[in-house]
Amino acid sequence: MRRHWRAVLHVRILAAPGPGPIPHEHPCRPRRRRLQLPARRALVFTGPVRSALGGRKRRRDPARPPGAGVRVSLVFSLVAAFSFAWWLGPAPSLPTALASGAVAGFGLVAASFGINYQFAQRSIVLWLIDGGYHTVQFLLFGLVLGLWH
């Protein structure tokens, strides 16, 4: 009977010796092995859990009505607009509002998407599309708030 490679890896990592002195290691260099083994063990344990939960959450809910995504997105956009207006403060100038919109859109939202997309192994093109959309969204928020006040 063949064993799956993950099971073999799991057994090998758990059976690996603890962080002890390594004969070829120089005494002044830090021992990376002390951090590597717990990190590998954590990845072995969290990998199947993440894939099982992520696979379940990615499926579409057939009971959800078709227009629910638009309504929920509108609520999230309003929350983002009011939060940005609060963060921007009263009576911002137009250049300040536009610069804050660029920082919030690209520096906060798109950068956070980039972190998530790297762990989800999504393409950089998809990140550019989604991050660019939110960058433009916050630039428009800044334009409206800068012209309004």
Side-chain angles (χ1 to χ4, degrees), residues 26-110:
H26 191 271
C28 295
R29 293 187 186 145
R31 294 184 184 162
R32 291 183 294 178
R33 190 171 176 191
R34 288 186 180 173
L35 295 176
Q36 287 176 350
L37 287 175
R40 288 180 193 165
R41 289 179 181 144
L43 287 176
V44 168
F45 288 123
T46 59
V49 172
R50 281 183 44 213
S51 64
L53 291 177
R56 234 183 304 147
K57 295 295 179 186
R58 276 185 240 135
R59 293 188 202 121
R60 291 184 175 242
D61 186 11
R64 186 174 177 187
V70 176
R71 288 190 293 272
V72 172
S73 296
L74 178 65
V75 171
F76 284 141
S77 291
L78 288 173
V79 168
F82 281 113
S83 300
F84 182 70
W86 176 81
W87 180 59
L88 200 56
S93 66
L94 183 60
T96 303
L98 287 175
S100 298
V103 167
F106 185 75
L108 298 175
V109 178

Side-chain angles (χ1 to χ4, degrees), residues 6-20:
R6 285 186 180 165
V8 172
L9 178 68
H10 179 72
V11 170
R12 285 185 185 160
I13 288 175
L14 290 179

